[in-house]
Amino acid sequence: RDPAAAAVLAAWAKSGEDDLRPKAAEALGHAARLAALETLVPMLEDRRWQTAVGAVRGLAASRAREAVPPLLAILENSTGRLRHEVVLALESLSGESFGDAPATWRRWWIEQGERLAVPDTPVAAPEDDAGDRYHFYGVELHSRSTLFLCDLSESMGGEPFERLLRELEATVKRYPPQGRFNLVFFDGEVRRWAPRLKRAAAYAKRDALRFASRQQARGPTNLWKALQAALDHEDADTVVLLTDGLPNAGKIYRMDDIRRRFEEANRGRMLVLHVVSLGRGSSDLRGMAEDTGGTYVER
């Protein structure tokens, strides 16, 4: 709560380097509380979704009742990852759970807003079934700009590969048609279905699944090279990583080094990383997911 620190954060959030602004905005909410809104609210309309997400998180961190109206205003016109972040912020500030339902949130604000007492620490909202959701190995997803990063090293042959194809088919078929996605497979090398995310039209979904069915499990596990490929997808805001083992190939293969490098590279990218770990647990993979706000599951 040091005013000098808050002033520095506000300056960085307003006009710092693009990679710095999202985290500065988030931190400003913690540091300046209500006073942060003057800086954060205009950032909701920023051209970079990362900066807008940082502003949303900062508004949630401010614990200010006055943060609710600007969040309601942007909820209606946002999509995918940003829309989900706005819902999370509203739930955090209100303790309510109206999901992806702008009209319900507005009605609640009209009826209850003047009496809202925001708790100093976030209260988890109850689960609800609303929203634009789909699943991969049980991981609930919300983004409309998703990269699926799938391990196809030699140990993924046989039943693990067959299950992967079934999971991909179910997920891709349910993927929002207004969204974009890509499939990337890796072993010692990286194989992309497309150079960038592609619109999830019906023909694109069919082509992606045909590409997946032609893959073969082979070779070692070069996880760092795969993560670099994910970071290079500038149009992605969410990565779903599936792997069945620890890395054993590539320039960097120690998990603690991979975690540190990924954290550094993702600081301004603001990717959410979900991890599905098959057959074994990994505290580093769990940490990488949780550090980004993602989910870690073992199957």
Side-chain angles (χ1 to χ4, degrees), residues 186-190 192 222-230 249-250 252:
F186 69 95
D187 42 58
E189 300 298 329
V190 172
R192 299 172 175 85
N222 191 339
L223 178 58
W224 176 240
K225 190 168 188 176
L227 289 171
Q228 284 182 302
I252 303 170

